[in-house]
Amino acid sequence: MRQGGEGRTLCALYVRLSREDEDRQQPESESIQNQKALLMDYAEERGWDVYEIYSDEDYSGVDRLRPAFNRMLQAAEEGAFQILLCKSQSRFTRDLELVEKYIHGMFPLWGVRFIAVADNADTEVKGNKKARQINGLVNEWYLEDLSENVRMVLDMKRREGQYIGGVPLYGYRKDPADKNKLVIDPEAAETVRRIFRWALEGCGRQRIAHMLNDEGVPGPARYKAAGTGPHSGGDGLWSKTAVWRILHNEMYTGVMVQGRRKKASYKSKKLVSVPENQWYRVEGTHGAIVCRETFDAVQRNLRLRSKTGGAGEPHLLSGLVKCMDCGSTLSKVTNGKPGGAAYLRCRLYADSGGEKRCTRHSVRLDRLIDLVSERIRQDVRSCCAAEPLKIRPAPRDLRGEALERERKMLAGQMEKRSYALRELYLDKVSGLLGPEEFKELTRLFQEEKTCMERRLEKIGEELASRIGNSPQADPADRIQALLKLERVPRELVTALVEKIEVGERDLDTGEQKVRITWRL
């Protein structure tokens, strides 16, 4: 970079190369170095001093956020140079709007002359404007055609069920033999299965995230960043958003789902959502982590889930109870008194003022829950009595076995640390270790021991909680206990009940109709 002397003309050089040019198989003369050499010779032949060379590599000609490009525009506005040299107009931009804004608009106001050497484009030459505008139009057409060709290739891969994402979905990894195919990542897949299992049991996404973080399971971001396994690197935690994305992703059933979002246009990086009926869905492209029945059951639970108070837990019949007259969902209300009974009533009913679009249809929630629960108990008992249960051997408790192995390993490591501490003390007494070395090594050993003790405590708690569900327990006894349904689980209610319709109470008799529509 040189400053011009008195009476000398200062020019800036702008060079650019991007993947779009590589795809076009441009000759070697388009390289950054050759562009610079051409423009330097051009300036030297005319006796112009070079103010600065601005270079953008791996940036599209339509990108308005090119760093060197924007620094060059700032310098032009400040009057730092009088001439801007490019090899061709397409190096400056492929966006016709930018051609008009700067080459034909701002540059004349700033006193900047634009020259594209290969195009013979020069803003100082009268009658040259139409040629520059035609060049701008041709460059934009090329970029639009290139974008359309790329989109067609990607759409073809989507239709064939090839995975075109850069980073594989959590729970999967790319097949080493085929980058467009997904294979199951066993450790991450087990976490996905646990998330779906907890969701079926009625746990909310925030609670699931807390449980995973309490166990020290690394979140998806940390897992991807580590690259060498789920227990290495990073400090990313699980969030309710990450859990929500997993629970709503159909790809875990073995269906390749792509094309959910697309660029607003080839000029913009903004992504817009695509209607679901336009997504690309190809079944059987990769292994399923959860079965279709589990996925559908979770989706029903998520649709029905509604918060009650700060706990965020849905009541047993949440989302299932409808008004028999207008079809609206009944919402939960209380009288505001501590320990007061909760009621359900039609959402279209107005307490005061305005037009009442429906009547109250009020019913006590606890009594309705008792009614539905008893009907379910009766049906379960009758089914079990009609067809004796065939009890299969209980599956191995793989999670419990893994925890037991980890507990034994940690216990052994703790014993080794205790032995090492004793040896360190003997080395200090014998003079083999200095006081500072002994202090530092002791601190490190104590920190490791403390971490192991915390993990052992968590393992002990989880093992204790699994005792009641131990596969070693007599499965017949456990099944009989479960069939009593002392507390009907929400998962069973949503699986069996389509909807519960409540009619208006008869003012004379006090009777109220309740109609249950079953899924089976």
Side-chain angles (χ1 to χ4, degrees):
M1 183 172 69
R2 294 186 292 139
Q3 297 292 331
E6 186 177 352
R8 301 279 288 180
T9 300
L10 283 175
C11 67
L13 315 184
Y14 180 73
V15 295
R16 181 187 64 80
L17 189 68
S18 70
R19 293 187 181 89
E20 75 199 25
D21 305 302
E22 294 169 1
D23 293 338
R24 200 179 183 184
Q25 296 183 337
Q26 295 280 12
E28 177 63 22
S29 61
E30 286 293 337
S31 72
I32 291 290
Q33 293 304 319
N34 280 288
Q35 289 181 57
K36 289 180 181 178
L38 173 69
L39 298 179
M40 290 288 289
D41 290 343
Y42 190 90
E44 187 174 353
E45 288 173 3
R46 286 153 183 76
W48 299 337
D49 290 334
V50 176
Y51 171 72
E52 187 168 341
I53 300 175
Y54 298 92
S55 175
D56 281 316
E57 194 160 5
D58 289 335
Y59 283 94
S60 168
V62 77
D63 191 344
R64 302 187 179 200
L65 299 179
R66 288 170 275 163
F69 179 79
N70 283 292
R71 285 194 297 106
M72 177 266 294
L73 292 177
Q74 181 66 33
E77 184 177 7
E78 294 171 355
F81 54 84
Q82 294 81 50
I83 297 174
L84 175 61
L85 285 181
C86 296
K87 181 179 183 295
S88 64
Q89 189 171 298
S90 65
R91 299 304 92 203
F92 176 76
T93 184
R94 291 187 184 275
D95 189 336
L96 184 59
E97 184 180 340
L98 291 184
V99 171
E100 291 298 322
K101 179 177 181 180
Y102 290 106
I103 296 179
H104 299 149
M106 305 309 298
F107 283 178
L109 294 177
W110 296 341
V112 174
R113 175 185 174 188
F114 176 81
I115 299 176
V117 176
D119 297 336
N120 293 317
D122 187 342
T123 53
E124 198 172 76
V125 178
K126 293 184 178 180
N128 198 247
K129 182 176 181 180
K130 289 181 180 179
R132 293 193 300 272
Q133 289 175 324
I134 291 172
N135 277 340
L137 190 58
V138 169
N139 286 326
E140 183 154 334
W141 283 344
Y142 161 71
L143 198 63
E144 187 174 5
D145 289 343
L146 178 64
S147 175
E148 181 64 18
N149 290 337
V150 170
R151 186 192 64 78
M152 289 174 63
V153 171
L154 294 179
D155 284 350
M156 180 190 68
K157 289 186 174 183
R158 293 186 183 105
R159 282 192 293 270
E160 294 175 350
Q162 298 185 48
Y163 184 72
I164 62 173
V167 179
L169 178 70
Y170 180 80
Y172 293 94
R173 57 190 176 204
K174 290 189 177 182
D175 188 338
D178 184 355
K179 67 178 182 179
N180 295 124
K181 184 177 180 181
L182 296 178
V183 293
I184 292 177
D185 183 341
E187 294 192 57
E190 180 56 32
T191 300
V192 172
R193 293 188 189 100
R194 294 172 69 198
I195 290 173
F196 275 89
R197 186 164 62 248
W198 284 334
L200 279 177
E201 293 170 357
C203 297
R205 52 182 178 166
Q206 185 69 64
R207 183 180 172 192
I208 292 174
H210 283 320
M211 289 191 292
L212 291 171
N213 289 328
D214 288 344
E215 290 185 13
V217 178
R222 176 182 169 189
Y223 188 91
K224 293 173 185 176
T228 55
H231 300 294
S232 58
D235 56 356
L237 297 175
W238 283 90
S239 66
K240 62 181 181 180
T241 302
V243 173
W244 185 92
R245 287 173 179 162
I246 287 176
L247 292 175
H248 284 80
N249 200 326
E250 191 184 5
M251 286 184 64
Y252 290 113
T253 66
V255 178
M256 184 66 72
V257 183
Q258 298 183 105
R260 302 182 190 194
R261 296 192 298 170
K262 66 178 182 180
K263 284 187 176 181
S265 77
Y266 67 93
K267 290 185 177 183
S268 172
K269 293 183 179 180
K270 182 181 179 181
L271 296 175
V272 296
S273 296
V274 174
E276 188 172 348
N277 60 3
Q278 296 178 23
W279 295 355
Y280 292 88
R281 297 180 70 260
V282 184
E283 298 191 15
T285 59
H286 54 278
I289 293 178
V290 296
C291 65
R292 169 58 65 176
E293 292 74 15
T294 297
F295 182 82
D296 290 343
V298 168
Q299 303 317 300
R300 287 197 299 271
N301 281 3
L302 293 174
R303 286 193 296 269
L304 294 172
R305 186 177 181 84
S306 62
K307 290 188 175 181
T308 57
E313 295 295 333
H315 62 76
L316 188 66
L317 308 178
S318 176
L320 293 170
V321 188
K322 310 291 181 180
C323 174
M324 192 175 288
D325 294 320
C326 72
S328 297
T329 302
L330 269 61
S331 56
K332 180 182 174 183
V333 294
T334 59
N335 57 15
K337 297 178 181 179
Y343 288 82
L344 298 179
R345 73 178 181 193
C346 180
R347 285 184 177 175
L348 293 185
Y349 173 79
D351 284 331
S352 60
E355 180 184 356
K356 293 183 174 63
R357 292 176 288 172
C358 194
T359 53
R360 186 186 295 269
H361 291 77
S362 179
V363 59
R364 270 188 60 159
L365 177 59
D366 56 350
R367 292 175 182 171
L368 185 61
I369 288 176
D370 290 343
L371 172 65
V372 175
S373 298
E374 186 55 34
R375 284 288 306 275
I376 290 176
R377 291 188 191 101
Q378 291 174 5
D379 288 349
V380 171
R381 289 177 193 136
S382 62
C383 289
C384 293
E387 184 176 348
L389 293 173
K390 296 179 181 179
I391 302 172
R392 298 177 180 177
R396 292 174 57 191
D397 183 8
L398 298 179
R399 175 64 179 169
E401 292 177 8
L403 288 171
E404 188 61 36
R405 286 196 301 271
E406 185 180 358
R407 186 189 66 77
K408 291 179 180 179
M409 182 272 292
L410 288 173
Q413 291 292 331
M414 290 271 292
E415 187 175 345
K416 290 180 181 179
R417 295 299 186 279
S418 298
Y419 177 78
L421 283 171
R422 290 195 298 271
E423 290 296 309
L424 282 176
Y425 179 74
L426 293 176
D427 288 344
K428 176 179 178 291
V429 172
S430 62
L432 296 176
L433 275 180
E436 292 300 322
E437 292 175 301
F438 174 76
K439 182 178 179 181
E440 179 63 18
L441 289 172
T442 300
R443 183 185 64 80
L444 292 174
F445 277 127
Q446 289 289 3
E447 287 180 357
E448 291 180 354
K449 190 176 178 183
T450 301
C451 291
M452 291 179 186
E453 288 173 346
R454 289 175 182 167
R455 180 56 185 159
L456 277 172
E457 184 179 352
K458 287 187 177 296
I459 291 174
E461 291 174 357
E462 185 170 351
L463 285 173
S465 68
R466 299 178 72 86
I467 290 176
N469 298 318
S470 172
Q472 281 71 35
D474 187 347
D477 293 343
R478 175 152 179 79
I479 289 174
Q480 291 300 327
L482 289 172
L483 287 176
K484 292 180 180 178
L485 292 175
E486 294 179 358
R487 180 181 179 275
V488 177
R490 176 170 168 80
E491 178 186 352
L492 182 60
V493 175
T494 57
L496 295 177
V497 177
E498 179 71 33
K499 62 180 177 179
I500 304 164
E501 295 173 287
V502 176
E504 184 59 89
R505 188 178 301 278
D506 189 300
L507 296 178
D508 296 326
T509 65
E511 294 182 354
Q512 188 173 27
K513 290 183 179 179
V514 175
R515 182 166 59 233
I516 302 175
T517 303
W518 304 94
R519 292 184 180 275
L520 303 178

